[in-house]
Amino acid sequence: MLTILDTTLRDGALAEGIDLTIEDKLRVTPLIDSLGVQYLEGGWPLVFERDLEFFRRAGEELQLGAKLTVFGATRRPETLVTRDRGMALLLESGAPVVHLYGKVWTLHVEKVLGTTREENLAMLRDSVSMMKGEGREVIFTAEHFFDGFRADREYALANLHAAVEAGADILSLGDSNGASLPDLVQEGVRAALGIATGRTVGLHLHNDLGLALGNTIAGLSAGATHVQGTVNGYAARSGITDLTALLPILKLKMGVDVVTDAQLARLSSVARKVAEIVGLGDEMDHKPVVGRKVFSHKTQTHVAAVLSAPEAYEAIAPESVGNQRRLLLPGLTRPTYLAEVARTYGVDLSVSSAANANILAVLKGLEDQGYTYEDASASLELRLAHLTGSATATLAVERLRLFEVIRGANQTVVEASLRVRVGADSVYVAAEGAEPLETLYLVLVAALQAVPDTRERGTAMRFLGARVRNLGRGKVRVVATLGDGEREWTTVGIDRDLVKAAWTSLLDGVEYGLSGLQGQTVVSP
């Protein structure tokens, strides 16, 4: 059986730009666990002693399906294993699984550690033996294994012999510089299998030359049955094996049921939520499998093809990984193209009628103003719903005021007041924020919360961000992203005035959230 060790909470913490608090880790852990991984590494107490607090709280507060795992090095040179602080912290964590790493490349043993080859082997034996004696399951990762295997094959394999003799349960082979080629990875895996005597052989592969995913697949083909990786590939330098790409390849392309269909369908949502928590959400658009753009289709030829035969331009079904197809919409006035796109929203424009002619005329007028919907399809879906009568506007704005004030000596605050009809109710509300976009959103939410029929949905809605682009000729384009915890959607506004463009985009976004339209639904765990 293939097993997965997720190391996001430890390897990910080594990535530039990521600094995980204990609260962050407690939020991320259930998300990763929902994917069905067998092992979940919580931290490295010797380097981040606060990780002990995470292990304590995780044990008390979380119910996990995965085995919580702690990470650390073998004992220090010339130190009794029973007096080594790193060993003591591993045990203090209380984790049932200990992930030990040790040096196997002679360059590291002699020049980095500054010890002898014999002492390095003794460090490995002592450390594994101690953890096994304390009843722990032990994963041993041979750091720089493939570099060591290339430099001194006999000594690299001697380390694996020592780990087996001491009782290690899993032998993991590290490509710590991320530079080994697939042929070497396969050769190393086969050599390790000859020593493992029935134990599991696994892989911990870095991505410095972009080889991690390909090398992982090569290693699995050679007989490895354990993989270590992270959500979105987060790790030191350029990362390690990306589980968001590997899991669908294993299940959908290689036929390995390492996760269930339901767990795989959470993948995109989990990947994006983890990215937001670690502060890298703006890097997700172009990610394979889970990125917003991976299932986007722009030309009329591609759109027509995927609507008739999705496999023509889609490697896997987007819904299988919780993602969604996006049909980009340049040149909306082309009737056949628009008809294909509109059909995905339940609107049939193939029939020649006055109603359809009016729809095309309205969309043509919007296009003349500069509207395109390639990254804001909720606006198109909402517009079609209003034009066909399948949805009606909930909000009717009567008056909006937005102004900047200075409080005290130099505190700048943006204030807004809004009179608006929400369904049958007329309300007057005010809000303040740090900048105009935020304030416009807050005053809309205040209006929704003032009316019982919209209060719950208004409270659930969140403004997730906006992008502003100068279109030239004095016009600006604002794309707003909103969400409600279960789905996200994007809307667009264009005007010569930035505030008016932002207001149009936000008003569309709130209307879409109230409408119940589902074209941009995103699966959540």
Side-chain angles (χ1 to χ4, degrees):
M1 182 183 79
L2 178 64
T3 58
I4 303 290
L5 166 61
D6 180 280
T7 66
T8 304
L9 300 183
R10 195 271 305 172
D11 266 314
L14 304 182
E16 182 178 358
I18 294 180
D19 184 16
L20 295 174
T21 66
I22 300 301
E23 295 300 329
D24 291 336
K25 287 192 169 192
L26 290 170
R27 291 172 63 198
V28 168
T29 298
L31 293 171
I32 296 173
D33 190 55
S34 74
L35 296 177
V37 299
Q38 290 73 32
Y39 300 90
L40 202 160
E41 193 168 272
W44 188 356
L46 184 63
V47 174
F48 304 103
E49 194 159 344
R50 66 186 179 187
D51 285 348
L52 288 176
E53 175 68 8
F54 165 77
F55 283 103
R56 183 188 67 77
R57 290 186 58 184
E60 295 173 354
E61 300 173 20
L62 304 178
Q63 297 294 321
L64 302 177
K67 296 179 183 179
L68 205 55
T69 303
V70 65
F71 180 82
T74 56
R75 69 161 174 84
R76 291 170 296 169
E78 310 299 336
T79 303
L80 287 174
V81 69
T82 54
R83 303 190 66 176
D84 186 273
R85 177 164 172 74
M87 294 291 103
L89 290 171
L90 293 174
L91 294 174
E92 188 178 341
S93 75
V97 183
V98 174
H99 180 193
L100 290 169
Y101 78 94
K103 307 289 189 180
V104 303
W105 185 9
T106 52
L107 180 145
H108 269 259
V109 172
E110 296 169 347
K111 294 189 176 182
V112 177
L113 277 180
T115 191
T116 66
R117 300 184 183 193
E118 293 74 17
E119 173 64 6
N120 185 61
L121 292 173
M123 291 157 56
L124 171 53
R125 291 191 194 94
D126 291 349
S127 303
V128 174
S129 296
M130 180 181 186
M131 294 303 151
K132 292 302 295 180
E134 294 289 339
R136 304 300 199 267
E137 182 178 351
V138 175
I139 300 170
F140 171 66
T141 288
E143 190 185 36
H144 292 282
F145 173 80
F146 296 101
D147 292 310
F149 186 72
R150 184 171 52 237
D152 189 331
R153 178 186 181 116
E154 182 178 351
Y155 185 72
L157 296 178
N159 279 267
L160 300 187
H161 272 297
V164 168
E165 291 169 358
D169 300 282
I170 296 175
L171 305 178
S172 175
L173 312 180
D175 185 27
S176 308
N177 281 348
S180 297
L181 297 178
D183 287 349
L184 179 63
V185 170
Q186 292 190 318
E187 184 183 357
V189 168
R190 294 187 184 109
L193 287 168
I195 290 168
T197 61
R199 287 171 171 78
T200 297
V201 171
L203 301 160
H204 184 105
L205 308 178
H206 279 257
N207 199 42
D208 296 63
L209 296 187
L211 291 163
L213 186 60
N215 278 344
T216 299
I217 294 168
L220 292 172
S221 300
T225 53
H226 172 82
V227 176
Q228 299 174 9
T230 64
V231 172
N232 298 325
Y234 299 140
R237 306 185 308 278
S238 46
I240 63 171
T241 301
D242 185 349
L243 295 181
T244 66
L246 179 65
L247 293 179
I249 290 173
L250 290 173
K251 186 169 179 68
L252 303 178
K253 295 299 183 181
M254 299 175 68
V256 181
D257 283 327
V258 66
V259 295
T260 66
D261 291 345
Q263 288 164 341
L264 191 66
R266 299 181 181 121
L267 190 63
S268 295
S269 178
V270 168
R272 294 170 191 177
K273 287 181 178 179
V274 170
E276 290 296 332
I277 291 170
V278 304
L280 298 177
D282 57 351
E283 297 183 2
M284 290 297 293
D285 276 4
H286 294 278
K287 290 283 292 183
V289 182
V290 297
R292 287 181 65 254
K293 299 183 183 295
V294 66
F295 296 105
S296 61
H297 307 283
K298 188 169 185 178
T299 68
Q300 183 176 1
T301 302
H302 286 197
V303 169
V306 296
L307 290 174
S308 59
E311 64 273 19
Y313 287 102
E314 292 177 349
I316 58 175
E319 60 272 15
S320 68
V321 292
N323 211 331
Q324 56 190 349
R325 178 179 302 135
R326 297 171 62 245
L327 304 180
L328 310 185
L329 313 170
L332 277 176
T333 55
R334 288 172 287 177
T336 56
Y337 184 30
L338 179 57
E340 293 291 345
V341 173
R343 187 178 299 127
T344 67
Y345 299 118
V347 178
D348 184 3
L349 295 179
S350 61
V351 178
S352 177
S353 68
N356 283 350
N358 177 61
I359 292 173
L360 289 169
V362 170
L363 294 174
K364 174 66 166 64
L366 290 169
E367 187 180 50
D368 289 344
Q369 295 175 42
Y371 275 87
T372 59
Y373 301 93
E374 65 272 12
D375 55 351
S377 57
S379 280
L380 175 67
E381 185 182 1
L382 185 68
R383 200 73 63 239
L384 288 169
H386 287 170
L387 288 168
T388 58
S390 60
T392 57
T394 303
L395 304 174
V397 177
E398 297 176 356
R399 186 174 74 245
L400 169 70
R401 296 180 67 206
L402 183 74
F403 45 93
E404 186 176 82
V405 298
I406 297 177
R407 289 184 183 160
N410 56 11
Q411 182 187 4
T412 302
V413 177
V414 179
E415 294 182 354
S417 62
L418 173 66
R419 181 171 294 282
V420 60
R421 294 195 67 82
V422 184
D425 298 287
S426 178
V427 298
Y428 179 79
V429 292
E432 65 177 45
E435 48 87 21
L437 257 149
E438 176 194 19
T439 307
L440 290 172
Y441 171 72
L442 290 174
V443 79
L444 277 170
V445 169
L448 300 182
Q449 292 175 335
V451 177
D453 288 348
T454 58
R455 184 172 298 139
E456 183 176 350
R457 280 178 291 176
T459 301
M461 229 177 285
R462 294 288 183 272
F463 172 54
L464 301 178
R467 296 190 302 276
V468 179
R469 182 159 62 93
N470 189 337
L471 297 180
R473 302 183 304 281
K475 288 190 174 183
V476 292
R477 182 177 191 269
V478 178
V479 173
T481 301
L482 282 77
D484 59 11
E486 294 182 357
R487 56 190 184 128
E488 297 176 6
W489 57 92
T490 52
T491 48
V492 61
I494 293 176
D495 201 278
R496 293 184 180 278
D497 183 87
L498 174 61
V499 171
K500 289 181 180 178
W503 178 247
T504 299
S505 180
L506 287 169
L507 194 58
D508 266 11
V510 170
E511 283 281 10
Y512 187 89
L514 296 172
S515 70
L517 297 170
Q518 296 292 316
Q520 292 195 1
T521 297
V522 176
V523 176
S524 289

